Amino acid sequence: MISDKIEKALNKQIAVEANAAFTYLSMASWADNHGIEGAAAFFYTHAAEEHAHMMKIVHFVNEVGGKAVIPSVPQPAETYENITEICKKAYKHEQQVSKSIHAIVELAQQENDHVVDEFLRWFVAEQKEEEVLFMRVMDKIKIIGEGGQSLYYIDKELNAMNAAAVAAAAAKPTAN
Ligand code: FEO
């Protein structure tokens, strides 16, 4: 039901989502080890969301007659300079993920594959939300500043954002 080209692109996206999940898990774990609890909670939640994204594509590929390939995941970074570096990297990462999703949407449209196009709409909306979220994080960091004292406030903001994200996730449909 899906072309080889689309199957390959979706399998690549499975690897992209898996990579995002492990990258955020590593960031969460680093923050946890450094007692930055709000950031840890924020990135643990986000890692779980990325895992759910990956699963959604795995199920879809198999459902439409393709073969989902479970990828090996590159070792994520183990250490980070500070929480600002983590947030900047996460924002960049999300921008890359969006580009990758948009490329598959274009491919589906070129092939007139309405089923895949429809499936990817959820991801397009999700990526927009994630980019907005990380943009807000970066804006908060700009307001708070990056000095030593600001860590406490950045962590508090991330904790509040995580609580809001958990509540929002509970209220909307996610992975199959
Ligand atoms: Fe599933 Fe945030 O990319």
Side-chain angles (χ1 to χ4, degrees):
M1 202 165 152
I2 49 172
S3 73
D4 289 351
K5 225 171 160 183
I6 289 185
E7 182 182 353
K8 206 172 159 193
L10 288 172
N11 271 317
K12 203 172 143 212
Q13 192 63 31
I14 289 172
V16 167
E17 303 291 347
N19 185 29
F22 272 67
T23 298
Y24 296 151
L25 187 54
S26 179
M27 289 171 170
S29 182
W30 181 87
D32 209 357
N33 277 317
H34 286 78
I36 315 171
E37 289 167 11
F42 179 93
F43 281 100
Y44 278 133
T45 297
H46 226 75
E49 280 184 16
E50 298 302 346
H51 184 266
H53 296 171
M54 177 193 75
M55 291 302 294
K56 198 173 173 78
I57 306 173
V58 167
H59 289 311
F60 177 78
V61 170
N62 287 330
E63 190 186 351
V64 294
K67 181 176 172 258
V69 177
I70 308 308
S72 60
V73 179
Q75 174 74 44
E78 285 176 40
T79 57
Y80 301 92
E81 213 173 297
N82 51 39
I83 195 62
T84 308
E85 184 205 357
I86 286 181
C87 293
K88 279 183 186 165
K89 281 193 167 159
Y91 181 39
K92 258 198 178 157
H93 199 87
E94 286 305 323
Q95 289 174 312
Q96 290 301 324
V97 176
S98 295
K99 269 190 192 167
S100 164
I101 291 282
H102 295 166
I104 313 174
V105 170
E106 281 163 29
L107 180 62
Q109 287 172 354
Q110 278 164 22
E111 295 195 5
N112 280 323
D113 190 328
H114 300 293
V115 173
V116 172
D117 189 27
E118 166 70 25
F119 169 71
L120 289 173
R121 274 178 214 179
W122 184 90
F123 282 89
V124 171
E126 180 73 6
Q127 278 312 120
K128 190 212 87 190
E129 270 182 35
E130 295 201 341
E131 280 200 42
V132 168
L133 175 70
F134 280 103
M135 244 161 53
R136 278 180 49 221
V137 170
M138 296 313 300
D139 285 345
K140 294 275 184 197
I141 291 174
K142 262 188 225 153
I143 293 164
I144 294 167
E146 295 186 31
Q149 301 282 330
S150 50
L151 175 63
Y152 172 77
Y153 294 101
I154 294 172
D155 194 43
K156 254 179 103 123
E157 285 295 339
L158 288 171
N159 201 29
M161 283 179 165
N162 178 57
V166 169
K172 75 172 180 182
T174 53
N176 293 331

